[in-house]
Amino acid sequence: MDVLITIVKEFGGEVIVGDAPAIGVKGNVFQKTGLQEVCKKHDVKLVDFNRDEGKVVTIENAIALNEVLIAKTYFEVDTIVNIPVFKSNALYWISGALKNMKGLIVGMDKH
C-alpha cells in the first residue's frame, strides 16, 4: 500500500484509503494491519466503510436484494483501485477482487 500511495501521488492523484472487514475483527483493524500508520505517513484519508455514511442504491430486477446501502465515499471519487487479498473462506474457494467490492456495503449486510 505504501508504494501504491506513493505512485498515485507522484501522478498527481488524491488518495483515499478505505476498507470494511465483514466479520471477525476485534479492535482497530487499521492499526493491527499497519494501514493506519501508512496513511498517516502519507497524510492520506482513511475511511472505515462500515462506519461511512451510506447512500441507498436500488437494484432493478433483483431477486433477493432490492436495495443496498453503499458507502458515500464511493460516489465522491473518480477512480477506484481495488486491491484484493487472495485467501479462501467458508463461502468461496478463493476470495478476489469482485468479492472485495462487497466492502463498500455499509455495516454488516455483506452476507
Side-chain angles (χ1 to χ4, degrees):
M1 183 62 72
D2 196 355
V3 172
L4 182 59
I5 291 171
T6 300
I7 291 169
V8 171
K9 283 186 147 193
E10 283 177 359
F11 281 90
E14 178 185 346
V15 177
I16 299 172
V17 175
D19 196 4
I23 57 172
V25 177
K26 293 181 181 176
N28 185 339
V29 67
F30 297 133
Q31 187 176 19
K32 288 181 179 184
T33 61
L35 199 52
Q36 185 173 334
E37 184 179 327
V38 170
C39 289
K40 187 175 182 178
K41 171 184 169 184
H42 291 281
D43 193 28
V44 166
K45 181 179 176 181
L46 180 58
V47 178
D48 180 344
F49 294 136
N50 283 330
R51 297 184 177 160
D52 200 11
E53 284 184 50
K55 178 179 177 181
V56 175
V57 174
T58 302
I59 303 169
E60 293 184 31
N61 302 316
I63 294 171
L65 186 64
N66 297 324
E67 291 183 338
V68 64
L69 192 62
I70 301 293
K72 165 185 94 143
T73 303
Y74 169 79
F75 300 98
E76 297 174 346
V77 298
D78 296 325
T79 304
I80 293 178
V81 178
N82 182 8
I83 306 169
V85 176
F86 291 100
K87 61 183 180 180
S88 62
N89 62 37
L91 298 174
Y92 309 100
W93 288 346
I94 187 167
S95 170
L98 183 58
K99 181 189 159 293
N100 208 36
M101 295 302 288
K102 286 173 50 177
L104 291 171
I105 299 173
V106 176
M108 294 298 167
D109 293 332
K110 296 171 182 36
H111 301 286

